[in-house]
Amino acid sequence: ILFTGNTHTNDSAFRRELMQMEGSLVSTQSIKNSKQNLLQLPFVKNAEVSSKHVPGTNNEEDLFYNITTAPSGTVQAGVGYSDVDGFLVNAALTQQNFFGTGNSFGINASYSASMLSANVNYFNPYYTPWGIGRGFNLYAQHYDASKANIANYTTDDYGTAVNYSIPLARFDSLQFGFGIDYLHLMLGGSPADVMNNFRRRHGSEFLQVPVNFGWTHNSFNRAIFPTRGLM
């Protein structure tokens, strides 16, 4: 099985999507399913399959997947204005095919008078050879409520998380993740009684372990402009 038409992506990023294995009996259904799996990659625009008889053999064929890729990176930036926060600025960079590995990477940041935040994430859909994906997320946020005319306090929030995706069936997968979140509350001068009472009762530092679960069904025939399937 050979891949042609692409020079920017590692061979392994395509090969791990195949259901037709090299050296095994030919299955037309596995070849079709492999093509759909390739088209479900967010950086693949088109995939065509062809075969060629291996010279000197009676029962061997070479399979060729001709891959047309699409731009896998996006850059976003925005500027706005709010009566409460003044000027708002945000920027984000997303790469769905990070250095040709088929893994995804993203970073985004935003700024306003009351809040400054940043987030970095990375996901490997084939952390294990049998299709278990694993990703990481790292974030930080500073919030000043006084700048939003809400109350005189600030919070610093830092956290990290690890997320997994486990295949259940061809189109279904289970997602779960857990992390650690640390939040520090700081009161300004002359805080309201309700805020003083809150700090006396609960403290000013909070350590949490968020846990999340999810289920995904994706039977789209392609990631880019699908015409069939459900999600």
Side-chain angles (χ1 to χ4, degrees):
I1 299 176
L2 302 172
F3 297 96
T4 62
N6 171 73
T7 58
H8 304 294
T9 303
N10 298 341
D11 182 89
S12 59
F14 298 132
R15 197 167 296 276
R16 63 193 185 185
E17 300 292 339
L18 300 183
M19 301 184 72
Q20 172 66 57
M21 297 293 100
E22 286 186 316
S24 64
L25 292 175
V26 171
S27 167
T28 55
Q29 188 61 49
S30 294
I31 294 174
K32 289 174 61 179
N33 291 344
S34 298
K35 177 181 176 179
Q36 183 175 0
N37 289 350
L38 290 169
L39 288 171
Q40 284 186 332
L41 296 174
F43 50 89
V44 172
K45 184 177 181 180
N46 197 20
E48 297 296 336
V49 190
S50 61
S51 62
K52 183 179 180 181
H53 181 70
V54 178
T57 66
N58 295 324
N59 60 350
E60 294 185 6
E61 295 281 328
D62 282 333
L63 279 181
F64 297 88
Y65 285 90
N66 186 37
I67 307 293
T68 303
T69 57
S72 58
T74 59
V75 177
Q76 296 176 317
V79 177
Y81 181 82
S82 166
D83 290 339
V84 175
D85 287 321
F87 281 102
L88 314 171
V89 180
N90 64 78
L93 169 66
T94 303
Q95 177 57 257
Q96 298 284 359
N97 187 18
F98 191 55
F99 288 115
T101 61
N103 305 337
S104 62
F105 171 81
I107 181 170
N108 63 75
S110 61
Y111 168 81
S112 70
S114 63
M115 185 170 61
L116 175 65
S117 65
N119 182 292
V120 179
N121 61 79
Y122 178 82
F123 185 73
N124 178 1
Y126 281 86
Y127 169 65
T128 66
W130 47 90
I132 294 179
R134 184 179 71 172
F136 298 95
N137 186 33
L138 182 67
Y139 59 89
Q141 181 185 90
H142 173 77
Y143 178 68
D144 188 344
S146 65
K147 297 292 181 64
N149 296 319
I150 297 176
N152 195 8
Y153 73 89
T154 60
T155 59
D156 288 323
D157 189 14
Y158 308 96
T160 185
V162 58
N163 301 285
Y164 290 89
S165 177
I166 302 175
L168 301 176
R170 179 153 182 257
F171 298 125
D172 299 272
S173 61
L174 172 70
Q175 287 79 40
F176 77 92
F178 58 90
I180 297 177
D181 182 90
Y182 169 78
L183 188 142
H184 184 205
L185 170 67
M186 295 158 286
L187 301 183
S190 303
D193 291 340
V194 65
M195 301 195 66
N196 273 324
N197 293 336
F198 177 89
R199 184 171 61 176
R200 281 194 296 267
R201 178 175 297 182
H202 302 288
S204 59
E205 295 184 340
F206 306 89
L207 187 63
Q208 305 175 85
V209 181
V211 179
N212 64 81
F213 291 91
W215 168 72
T216 298
H217 173 86
N218 181 7
S219 60
F220 281 168
N221 61 334
R222 59 175 63 236
I224 302 175
F225 298 121
T227 57
R228 296 189 308 274
L230 298 171
M231 185 174 183

